Amino acid sequence: MPTQLSGGFRFVAASIAIIGAGPRGISITERLAAYLRERPSQTPLTLHVIDDSQIGAGRVWDTTQTHTLCMNTLAGAVTLFTEPGATVGAPILEGPTMYEWIQALRGEHSHPLMRAHPHPLPTSFTEEIRATRPESNPSRALYGEYLRWVWQVALAQLPENVTVVEHNTRAVSIHEYGVTDAIQLADGTVIHADATVLATGWVLPGMSPAQQAFADSGVTYIGANNPVEQDVDRLAPGEQVLVRGMGMGFFDLMALVTIGRGGRFVEDASTRSGLRYEPSGREPHLAVTSGRGYPYLPKSEYHSLPPKADLTRLRAAIAAATASEAPVSFGRDLWPALARDAYAAYYTTLARVRPQALKLPLDEVLAAIGAVDLDTHASAASIFPVAEALSAACADFSTEPFHLAHWADPLAGTETLSLEELNHCIGKRMADDIREAVAAADSPIKAGLWVISAGRKPSAIATENGRGPREAALSQYMAFGQMVGSGPPLFRTRELLALADATLATFLGPNPTTEVSTGNSDATGAEGTYTARSHSRTVTATALADAFLPGPDVRTSVDALVASLRKGSRVRPFAPGGVETAAPETDASTRRTVHPDGTLDPRLHIVGIPTGKQWADTTISPMPGTNPLMLQETDKTALSLLTQAGLL
């Protein structure tokens, strides 16, 4: 910032600190460069980039990790560059999507940014690069290489008055020091910054009392964490392991203790999964459970990028609900319209692929779906009454009626089944899931569920920042949408079913209770066991692994950096309607934090995953052609950082 002296101005250097050098830290750097190129400043700027993991990739996308772990996003559906028409303040920087980057690496086309910034890869990626298609799920390590390349591009965009200092260590505290932030690093360095942003991603909250008891028991416990940081080597060959969680964290753990230990999944058309598992003999036995008790559904195998879901009714309902100043109720205002969209997609697809299944003309079916009185069933407390009302109204329209509630609670009615009966039931359903995923665009069920998945983003945006009350129906729907839309690639579901058929995976059921007992050596010599119960079913194990990643919580995080922000009154929980959430409250236009007294912090910004209870779409990688909210956020944050640091 300039200080006036006789005869002219002396420019005093400014400094900005970015804590977290994964995708958001990279994007913020690129957006800083875009603003500084558009609005040149003579003020020298030092940009401190702080991360104790791989700078330019972050912990989740570290390029040195095993290639066994894959992205849950498609190669052609992720970018880190702004595009024409994007809602950003600084000029866009057009760059390749991940798949376009891979194509350029293969020599299939050239891109000016790649010519200017070549990025040779280790030979360990050669086969993956050769085989990748737009609809492939790349390894996380390869995505890390893409991010590292974008990082180099971003650094090259910075003007000459910017000096970048990389600190490959952890930020452990932030304190106010006059008009700057004093950031203490684990290596003993103290950085002074005129503006600071936390782009830290998944910072784990503290353990629950039950988890802490497991950790203190002395019986093998692997706590919830990023899969590559979970010490699965502690799980012994042949050991019975209780695994809690059936989303992507579970599928990652499953791959690490099977493929990662030399096991092989072999194509075999005679099996219901299409695979046969050939064990290495080093695998544990997995007893798997979760709140819902059923694995996340596999993604459809479209052999292309997914189609766009028809959300006509939902979008109309959002427009009507947000036209007034009244709070938006998801359960009452939006869910009925979204459920109608799902039923319409199901029956429209059914009419196309199996027209003989309809008892009425399609236009009459769609008109009836629109005419069902759902107002008396709409509830802030649950999504089930609306789903059941639509199912009842459509029951006689076809020989293959759609039952949405059946998918929202897939194990309803299985409470009295024995462990063997339950596993037979789940195995059969998983085989059906695989067939529907293979049918993809020709599956009426997948068409209806794809609408449920696609409705999450517009629904979240319509209710974000306290515009909608916190409703059980919304939480219930988001969990449902995640299960049917954020599941694993199809090959992972095939692998799980193959493990079940090889008796290496057993399903316990939903809503388990888990206890640990210590001091009693079993037949294997193990000291202590875990016992999990779901209804009348029980399993015991000598190890417990939590295969999920709990969201950050600014109120309870044991991370020293977050604790220093609480202690310094730099943050307060976002509390719509007076009800606290796990997210730190931030300003809409700048992402500066809000103090307990309601004032904006003069320097501190927080972006991304920690703010998910306030802002929509915080965990989603930027998708091409969607004007990604993540890039809008990094753009406005970059502008605020430069403004607060005195450069603009």
Side-chain angles (χ1 to χ4, degrees), residues 30 74-84 92-105 109-117 119 143 145-147 149-151 153-154 157 622-625 631:
E30 185 276 315
L74 306 182
V78 63
T79 186
L80 205 55
F81 291 98
T82 47
E83 299 171 310
I92 65 167
L93 177 65
E94 290 189 74
T97 66
M98 184 179 183
Y99 182 66
E100 291 168 344
W101 174 77
I102 289 170
Q103 285 182 300
L105 289 174
H109 65 71
S110 179
H111 192 283
L113 285 179
M114 295 197 69
R115 290 196 301 271
H117 308 284
H119 186 71
Y143 182 55
E145 290 287 359
Y146 173 69
L147 293 176
W149 174 74
V150 180
W151 172 236
V153 171
Q157 308 307 307
M623 294 181 62
L631 301 185

Side-chain angles (χ1 to χ4, degrees), residues 253-331:
L253 183 145
M254 178 191 80
L256 290 172
V257 299
T258 54
I259 301 170
R261 295 190 178 187
R264 297 174 63 240
F265 291 96
V266 180
E267 294 285 340
D268 187 341
S270 69
T271 68
R272 57 182 179 172
S273 66
L275 297 175
R276 180 183 72 258
Y277 183 63
E278 296 182 351
S280 68
R282 298 167 56 207
E283 304 86 354
H285 182 285
L286 306 179
V288 194
T289 185
S290 69
R292 188 177 277 106
Y294 193 82
Y296 276 33
L297 300 191
K299 289 187 169 67
S300 294
E301 199 170 58
Y302 292 110
H303 300 289
S304 65
L305 296 181
K308 188 174 182 179
D310 184 355
L311 301 174
T312 302
R313 298 162 185 81
L314 173 62
R315 296 194 187 282
I318 290 173
T322 55
S324 70
E325 295 298 320
V328 178
S329 167
F330 172 80

Side-chain angles (χ1 to χ4, degrees), residues 45 98 145 201 210 252 267 284 292 317 330 353 428 480 484 524 531 543 636:
L45 170 65
M98 184 179 183
E145 290 287 359
D252 290 339
E267 294 285 340
R292 188 177 277 106
F330 172 80
V353 299
K428 182 178 182 301
F480 178 27
V484 301
T524 68
T531 301
K636 66 178 64 176

Side-chain angles (χ1 to χ4, degrees), residues 321 326-336 379-380 463 467-469 471 473-474:
V328 178
S329 167
F330 172 80
R332 297 184 184 280
D333 299 331
L334 307 187
W335 171 240
S379 166
T463 57
R467 285 186 294 196
E471 295 180 349
L474 179 58

Side-chain angles (χ1 to χ4, degrees), residues 21-347:
R24 288 169 184 81
I26 297 168
S27 181
I28 288 171
T29 302
E30 185 276 315
R31 292 288 81 202
L32 289 171
Y35 277 108
L36 289 172
R37 285 186 173 276
E38 182 189 41
R39 311 179 197 180
S41 169
Q42 298 181 56
T43 304
L45 170 65
T46 300
L47 181 62
H48 294 280
V49 180
I50 306 160
D51 201 318
D52 65 340
S53 58
Q54 190 179 36
I55 291 179
R59 182 165 284 106
V60 174
W61 313 112
D62 190 301
T63 61
T64 64
Q65 68 183 288
T66 174
H67 294 196
T68 298
L69 300 183
C70 66
M71 298 178 70
N72 204 28
T73 306
L74 306 182
V78 63
T79 186
L80 205 55
F81 291 98
T82 47
E83 299 171 310
T87 308
V88 293
I92 65 167
L93 177 65
E94 290 189 74
T97 66
M98 184 179 183
Y99 182 66
E100 291 168 344
W101 174 77
I102 289 170
Q103 285 182 300
L105 289 174
R106 293 195 299 232
E108 295 173 5
H109 65 71
S110 179
H111 192 283
L113 285 179
M114 295 197 69
R115 290 196 301 271
H117 308 284
H119 186 71
L121 297 185
T123 56
S124 58
F125 290 102
T126 301
E127 176 56 27
E128 182 178 358
I129 290 170
R130 184 198 65 78
T132 298
R133 301 287 308 146
E135 65 273 17
S136 298
N137 293 87
S139 68
R140 295 180 190 172
L142 183 56
Y143 182 55
E145 290 287 359
Y146 173 69
L147 293 176
R148 292 272 289 173
W149 174 74
V150 180
W151 172 236
Q152 296 305 315
V153 171
L155 292 178
Q157 308 307 307
L158 292 166
E160 292 182 357
N161 65 308
V162 180
T163 300
V164 177
V165 183
E166 296 183 357
H167 303 270
N168 198 196
T169 185
R170 194 172 188 87
V172 295
S173 69
I174 299 178
H175 302 285
E176 291 186 293
Y177 186 84
V179 294
T180 68
D181 285 330
I183 305 169
Q184 178 75 48
L185 305 185
D187 65 5
T189 305
V190 177
I191 293 167
H192 292 275
D194 299 303
T196 306
V197 58
L198 272 62
T200 49
W202 291 98
V203 178
L204 296 179
M207 287 187 182
S208 69
Q211 289 173 316
Q212 190 63 56
F214 297 149
D216 295 340
S217 69
V219 186
T220 302
Y221 173 63
I222 297 177
N225 206 337
N226 178 21
V228 294
E229 295 182 292
Q230 291 183 301
D231 187 8
V232 298
D233 289 343
R234 296 170 61 197
L235 305 178
E239 183 173 23
Q240 181 86 352
V241 179
L242 176 64
V243 185
R244 300 193 298 183
M246 302 182 79
M248 280 305 296
F250 162 70
F251 286 99
D252 290 339
L253 183 145
M254 178 191 80
L256 290 172
V257 299
T258 54
I259 301 170
R261 295 190 178 187
R264 297 174 63 240
F265 291 96
V266 180
E267 294 285 340
D268 187 341
S270 69
T271 68
R272 57 182 179 172
S273 66
L275 297 175
R276 180 183 72 258
Y277 183 63
E278 296 182 351
S280 68
R282 298 167 56 207
E283 304 86 354
H285 182 285
L286 306 179
V288 194
T289 185
S290 69
R292 188 177 277 106
Y294 193 82
Y296 276 33
L297 300 191
K299 289 187 169 67
S300 294
E301 199 170 58
Y302 292 110
H303 300 289
S304 65
L305 296 181
K308 188 174 182 179
D310 184 355
L311 301 174
T312 302
R313 298 162 185 81
L314 173 62
R315 296 194 187 282
I318 290 173
T322 55
S324 70
E325 295 298 320
V328 178
S329 167
F330 172 80
R332 297 184 184 280
D333 299 331
L334 307 187
W335 171 240
L338 177 55
R340 291 187 208 270
D341 279 332
Y343 275 77
Y346 174 90
Y347 286 105

Side-chain angles (χ1 to χ4, degrees), residues 179 247 360 421 529 560 581 597 627 631:
V179 294
L360 298 173
E421 291 168 334
T529 58
T581 71
D597 64 3
N627 191 18
L631 301 185

